[in-house]
Amino acid sequence: MYKQIAFLGPKATFTDIAVSRLFPNDYKVPLSTIPDCLDAVNDGEVEVAVVPIENALEGSVNITIDYLYHEAKLPIRGDITAPIEQHYMIHPDNDTPSFKPEIVYSHSHAIAQCHKFLHKELKGVPYESTTSTAAAAKMVSENPDKKIAAIANEMAADVYGLKIAKRQIHDYSHNHTKFIVVSKQEVTFDDHLTSEQGYKTTLMVTLPVDSSGALHKVLSAFAWRGLNLTKIESRPLKTGLGNYFFIIDIDRKMDDILIPGAMSEMEALGCKVNVLGSYPSFKVGKPQMV
Amino acid sequence: MYKQIAFLGPKATFTDIAVSRLFPNDYKVPLSTIPDCLDAVNDGEVEVAVVPIENALEGSVNITIDYLYHEAKLPIRGDITAPIEQHYMIHPDNDTPSFKPEIVYSHSHAIAQCHKFLHKELKGVPYESTTSTAAAAKMVSENPDKKIAAIANEMAADVYGLKIAKRQIHDYSHNHTKFIVVSKQEVTFDDHLTSEQGYKTTLMVTLPVDSSGALHKVLSAFAWRGLNLTKIESRPLKTGLGNYFFIIDIDRKMDDILIPGAMSEMEALGCKVNVLGSYPSFKVGKPQMV
């Protein structure tokens, strides 16, 4: 049976690349915001949602983490990391050596990530933000008569029929984004993915108020069990400055003894502990059309 | 001698409220971005800059932290926490019982923070983002003929001559923002502030790569010395997913033994440790015109 997969749209965003890799045979439903995607799962309109949770340059996608903590408590069923490669693209009608755009469109993060290219090769050309890199590509495709260009990914160039005039214009070569798969049901992944998978367990931990050294004790609960943390991030609780919850990733599957033992210990310290998921972790290897 | 204080403008932003409280007698220089403010100090154009570093709802102001880590290494000389109170305001010419705006302007965070008010009392009225709450107030003041309204603070209503039609329309009453004072020189604060001050020391710690449990050991260095941390936040290093540095606040002044001892211990573990400052910490008590 084919599933419906909500994702942060429009078509040809970086999230779309992640979805196409994880669910090549299912129905993709592009929605316009992260809360829309998570609500669609919560309300039973789709089975699965895929949304970004962390970028190597920008950090956590706060809206995703906050929404999972405060609003839609949905389990994570998998994650996938994809390289973020930005290309400079124009309408094919404008593919002449003398073409110079009057405006460059892209998402504000992509513009920030391609600062050196813009400064060097398009000095003085103003840029404008769009809601996604794909929306920028769409605008260029719909306006062949305008002198405009876009910064977007390879899938967007393909979907919107644009010519890539310069490839890989991003400043940092280490840029990746991690996306999570959330669903109320178990999700099975295709065999072609499982060769490269790892496992992860994600906890959300709220420390007791005014307990000095509580985070140190929490980390001790993992350390003396030899549980390795691959991520720890703080987010404000929205109850006042200085009150946080923590997202903690452990690099292994939920077991019967070690992780439950660490959780009981944290609860005995007065922490609130939620398991957000224990799930396989994938990578989009080479940037590719999928 | 009067100092020049750069701050995140325009006039009457929440940062302006913090500056007016800390430096009532100095020259205020509104600049349009956080990097502009920090660069102005770095380049010697002004003596002091005041910029936001953390909000109770939105979390850290990443651009401030990243810029202090990666670009301008300037010491923190003080911080001040101010309540964020949003009011709904209109041009006095439009102060009639039947007035209904066609657009509400404000900063995107303020719009998000007043979601319930907008949903209940201005249902269906579209809103548009401005670069600051003060910019929204300015726009309303300059367009008495247009049916528009703004969400901004009390200082903005006063500076731009607007009528507050409804006070305190924010959803969360615990909202505060913390601002930092950076300067190459020592900064002395007025006596009227010092009665309520605390002290803080801020460190930036980069963990050694691939060292499992390093954060636990770092926190141990503080815990067994009885050093109380009031904040620990992670930020990506921009070298790849999963590589972080940490901002750590200790609730006391730099001393000769305890904090230097913890720092040496962290360095022995392979951490890179920078002191961002040891400084007095202030509060804007009641929301007020200052």
Side-chain angles (χ1 to χ4, degrees):
Chain A
M1 206 188 77
Y2 298 120
K3 294 185 286 289
Q4 303 234 51
I5 319 285
F7 71 98
L8 183 62
K11 269 197 299 190
T13 53
F14 285 99
T15 314
D16 193 356
I17 293 180
V19 173
S20 305
R21 172 81 174 177
L22 288 174
F23 304 105
N25 303 315
D26 292 294
Y27 294 112
K28 297 191 292 182
V29 183
L31 297 177
S32 51
T33 69
I34 289 171
D36 286 349
C37 295
L38 299 174
D39 283 344
V41 173
N42 215 22
D43 301 344
E45 290 161 17
V46 298
E47 284 92 356
V48 174
V50 178
V51 293
I53 190 163
E54 188 179 0
N55 174 267
L57 301 184
E58 309 292 338
S60 284
V61 180
N62 296 335
I63 183 81
T64 299
I65 292 174
D66 288 358
Y67 214 77
L68 287 176
Y69 187 90
H70 292 286
E71 309 286 339
K73 290 175 175 54
L74 296 167
I76 301 179
R77 301 298 184 174
D79 76 14
I80 185 162
T81 299
I84 300 298
E85 307 214 319
Q86 307 284 6
H87 310 299
Y88 170 66
M89 53 193 72
I90 57 179
H91 196 283
D93 291 1
N94 291 322
D95 185 18
T96 61
S98 65
F99 177 75
K100 205 186 163 191
E102 283 168 2
I103 302 177
V104 177
Y105 289 93
S106 195
H107 188 273
S108 60
H109 286 180
I111 291 168
Q113 287 160 15
C114 301
H115 177 76
K116 283 176 198 158
F117 169 82
L118 289 169
H119 188 71
K120 220 175 102 188
E121 307 212 14
L122 293 173
K123 204 174 161 74
V125 177
Y127 35 83
E128 281 193 19
S129 316
T130 48
T131 52
S132 67
T133 52
K138 187 159 180 271
M139 182 176 301
V140 171
S141 81
E142 289 168 353
N143 294 284
D145 50 316
K146 288 194 187 155
K147 293 184 133 189
I148 57 178
I151 295 172
N153 65 40
E154 184 145 12
M155 191 186 214
D158 191 65
V159 165
Y160 296 108
L162 301 187
K163 160 86 183 170
I164 295 184
K166 179 132 192 194
R167 304 188 73 83
Q168 304 197 329
I169 58 165
H170 41 281
D171 295 344
Y172 288 88
S173 57
H174 305 291
N175 196 13
H176 288 77
T177 293
K178 195 167 71 184
F179 303 88
I180 52 170
V181 177
V182 301
S183 176
K184 290 182 181 172
Q185 298 105 44
E186 290 284 337
V187 175
T188 50
F189 295 95
D190 277 13
D191 285 347
H192 75 279
L193 288 163
T194 50
S195 63
E196 40 181 307
Q197 79 182 41
Y199 265 94
K200 227 181 266 175
T201 301
T202 299
L203 307 180
M204 279 183 165
V205 180
T206 312
L207 304 186
V209 179
D210 280 338
S211 166
S212 155
L215 183 60
H216 174 245
K217 289 176 198 152
V218 161
L219 294 180
S220 300
F222 296 106
W224 63 48
R225 286 179 175 84
L227 291 169
N228 191 25
L229 309 186
T230 54
K231 169 175 169 166
I232 175 162
E233 285 241 13
S234 49
R235 281 295 301 152
L237 273 176
K238 310 203 178 204
T239 56
L241 268 181
N243 300 336
Y244 304 98
F245 65 93
F246 290 85
I247 316 285
I248 292 174
D249 284 355
I250 309 163
D251 67 350
R252 60 196 291 166
K253 231 176 175 162
M254 176 61 83
D255 65 338
D256 292 334
I257 296 169
L258 290 173
I259 300 178
M263 287 172 61
S264 309
E265 207 167 299
M266 289 186 280
E267 282 162 356
L269 291 168
C271 298
K272 207 180 95 191
V273 187
N274 292 313
V275 182
L276 211 56
S278 185
Y279 51 87
S281 179
F282 304 103
K283 269 189 189 140
V284 175
K286 275 295 294 170
Q288 58 189 310
M289 282 308 307
V290 278
Chain B
M1 206 188 77
Y2 297 119
K3 293 185 286 288
Q4 304 234 48
I5 319 284
F7 72 98
L8 183 62
K11 268 196 301 190
T13 54
F14 285 99
T15 315
D16 193 355
I17 293 180
V19 172
S20 304
R21 172 81 174 177
L22 287 174
F23 303 105
N25 303 315
D26 292 294
Y27 294 112
K28 298 191 290 181
V29 184
L31 296 177
S32 50
T33 69
I34 290 171
D36 286 350
C37 295
L38 299 174
D39 282 344
V41 173
N42 215 23
D43 300 344
E45 290 160 18
V46 299
E47 284 91 357
V48 174
V50 177
V51 294
I53 190 163
E54 188 179 1
N55 174 267
L57 302 184
E58 309 292 338
S60 283
V61 180
N62 296 335
I63 184 79
T64 299
I65 292 175
D66 288 0
Y67 214 78
L68 287 176
Y69 187 90
H70 293 285
E71 311 285 338
K73 289 174 176 52
L74 297 167
I76 301 178
R77 301 299 185 176
D79 75 13
I80 185 162
T81 299
I84 301 298
E85 307 214 319
Q86 307 286 5
H87 310 298
Y88 170 67
M89 53 193 72
I90 58 178
H91 196 284
D93 291 1
N94 291 321
D95 186 17
T96 61
S98 66
F99 178 74
K100 203 186 165 190
E102 283 167 4
I103 303 178
V104 177
Y105 289 92
S106 196
H107 189 272
S108 59
H109 285 182
I111 291 168
Q113 287 159 16
C114 301
H115 178 75
K116 283 176 199 159
F117 168 81
L118 289 169
H119 188 72
K120 220 174 101 186
E121 307 213 13
L122 293 173
K123 202 173 164 73
V125 178
Y127 35 82
E128 281 192 21
S129 315
T130 48
T131 51
S132 66
T133 53
K138 186 160 181 269
M139 182 177 302
V140 170
S141 82
E142 288 168 354
N143 293 284
D145 50 318
K146 286 194 186 155
K147 293 183 130 189
I148 58 178
I151 296 173
N153 64 41
E154 183 145 14
M155 191 187 213
D158 190 64
V159 165
Y160 295 108
L162 301 186
K163 159 85 185 173
I164 295 183
K166 180 134 191 191
R167 304 187 73 83
Q168 306 198 327
I169 59 166
H170 42 282
D171 295 343
Y172 289 87
S173 56
H174 304 291
N175 196 13
H176 288 77
T177 293
K178 195 168 70 184
F179 303 87
I180 53 170
V181 177
V182 300
S183 176
K184 291 181 180 173
Q185 298 105 44
E186 289 285 336
V187 175
T188 48
F189 295 94
D190 276 13
D191 286 345
H192 74 280
L193 288 163
T194 49
S195 63
E196 40 182 310
Q197 78 182 42
Y199 265 94
K200 228 182 265 176
T201 301
T202 298
L203 307 180
M204 280 183 165
V205 180
T206 312
L207 304 186
V209 179
D210 281 338
S211 168
S212 156
L215 183 59
H216 174 245
K217 290 176 198 153
V218 162
L219 294 181
S220 300
F222 296 105
W224 64 46
R225 286 179 176 83
L227 290 169
N228 191 27
L229 308 185
T230 53
K231 168 175 172 166
I232 173 161
E233 284 242 13
S234 49
R235 281 294 302 152
L237 272 176
K238 309 203 179 207
T239 56
L241 268 180
N243 301 336
Y244 304 96
F245 66 92
F246 290 84
I247 317 284
I248 292 173
D249 283 355
I250 309 162
D251 66 351
R252 59 198 289 167
K253 231 176 177 162
M254 176 60 84
D255 64 337
D256 292 334
I257 296 170
L258 290 174
I259 300 178
M263 288 174 61
S264 309
E265 208 167 298
M266 290 187 278
E267 281 162 356
L269 292 168
C271 298
K272 208 180 95 193
V273 187
N274 291 314
V275 182
L276 211 57
S278 186
Y279 50 87
S281 180
F282 304 103
K283 268 187 190 141
V284 175
K286 274 297 292 169
Q288 58 188 311
M289 284 307 309
V290 279

